[in-house]
Amino acid sequence: MKAIILIGAPGSGKGTTAEGIKAATGYIHVATGDMLREAVARGSSVGKAAESYMKQGTLVPDEVIIELVEERLDEGAPADCYMFDGFPRTQRQAELLDSSLEKRSGELANVFYLDAPRELVISRLTGRRTCRECGTIFHVVNIPPKKEGICDLCGGELYVRPDDKEDTIIRRLEVFHSQTGGLISYYEAKGVLARIDAAQPKEEIVGQAVSLMRAR
Ligand code: ADP
Ligand code: ZN
């Protein structure tokens, strides 16, 4: 088993980058935010536990997240390659991922930090539209859908995520800096971190990530 991680502030483009890396490499995309939104939509016990935190833009408790990820990894095969998007987000999640990888003889190959200035992430988040059906991300100005309000890929309805509101955006950025930012130096010390300028076009970002993956 092999794993890579995408770290970045909300709006840094983790989801979009992950789609590109997946298309180029076949890595399995594990996005805890998407998994949680599905759980909320289904009304499962995980969804019920997570919903209020997500609405407020704060982190869902580590226990909930770790169980979600462990269950997902248990379904996989030993040769699988995973790309974690939005996980880990705390020191504790990072340490538990380390032990989970060790237990499964997995290797953490790369961690990519998508580095984006504050004004950029705010403008990306305020204009973001998400497909309710397939999760594909659009932007009213930067990546407009062919038909307003409709997903180009599946025809699903585009909506504004409840946490993509101005106040919640500011809160999520604070949470990123206070709770997740420390992971950058954690992975830097392990020698697996690469910084990528997240203000570049998507193709450029994906290209850099994929060539760093191939170089390892
Ligand atoms: P973004 O990075 O744009 O904030 P995500 O879809 O990754 O979006 O996450 C949305 C919300 O889901 C977060 O604000 C948080 O409440 C919850 N969440 C997702 N992943 C985690 C995680 N690893 N730990 C704790 N909470 C998480
Ligand atoms: Zn769609």
Side-chain angles (χ1 to χ4, degrees):
M1 183 194 152
K2 217 167 168 175
I4 66 163
I5 296 172
L6 302 180
I7 298 184
S12 59
K14 298 186 297 291
T16 310
T17 302
E19 282 164 22
I21 295 178
K22 183 181 167 190
T25 65
Y27 270 54
I28 300 165
H29 184 196
V30 178
T32 45
D34 291 347
M35 292 162 82
L36 292 169
R37 276 184 291 279
E38 277 159 28
V40 170
R42 260 188 284 120
S44 71
S45 59
V46 166
K48 291 198 175 94
E51 192 169 13
S52 64
Y53 298 99
M54 295 176 76
K55 252 205 192 101
Q56 291 172 53
T58 56
L59 295 185
V60 172
D62 288 338
E63 287 64 35
V64 176
I65 301 295
I66 283 149
E67 199 182 315
L68 202 66
V69 173
E70 279 296 310
E71 272 175 15
R72 181 64 194 77
L73 295 181
D74 285 342
E75 287 168 14
D80 283 348
C81 295
Y82 292 95
M83 166 172 46
F84 294 109
D85 159 2
F87 170 85
R89 260 170 148 100
T90 64
Q91 181 68 29
R92 176 129 188 279
Q93 290 179 21
E95 284 165 9
L96 283 159
L97 176 61
D98 284 345
S99 35
S100 181
L101 287 172
E102 201 171 322
K103 187 176 80 189
R104 297 164 200 273
S105 311
E107 181 209 358
L108 179 59
N110 303 89
V111 179
F112 299 117
Y113 169 44
L114 301 180
D115 195 358
R118 184 181 170 88
E119 314 77 68
L120 179 70
V121 300
I122 292 177
S123 77
R124 280 183 179 167
L125 292 172
T126 48
R128 178 156 80 177
R129 298 292 181 272
T130 306
C131 175
R132 217 182 262 288
E133 300 305 320
C134 74
T136 301
I137 298 154
F138 297 85
H139 186 281
V140 289
V141 179
N142 308 341
I143 326 167
K146 291 199 184 76
K147 222 171 132 194
E148 200 190 317
I150 308 287
C151 174
D152 290 356
L153 273 74
C154 77
E157 180 206 353
L158 302 183
Y159 79 122
V160 178
R161 265 171 47 179
D163 57 349
D164 280 347
K165 309 263 154 66
E166 186 93 32
D167 297 358
T168 320
I169 288 170
I170 304 299
R171 165 78 61 77
R172 282 156 65 209
L173 289 173
E174 282 165 14
V175 167
F176 175 76
H177 289 113
S178 63
Q179 316 224 38
T180 311
L183 297 183
I184 296 162
S185 49
Y186 180 74
Y187 289 120
E188 215 154 37
K190 286 179 182 283
V192 289
L193 189 99
R195 264 169 218 270
I196 299 184
D197 174 6
Q200 302 177 97
K202 174 193 162 180
E203 295 69 33
E204 204 62 41
I205 296 170
V206 171
Q208 284 175 17
V210 170
S211 57
L212 287 163
M213 287 165 74
R214 301 219 160 111
R216 267 192 83 88

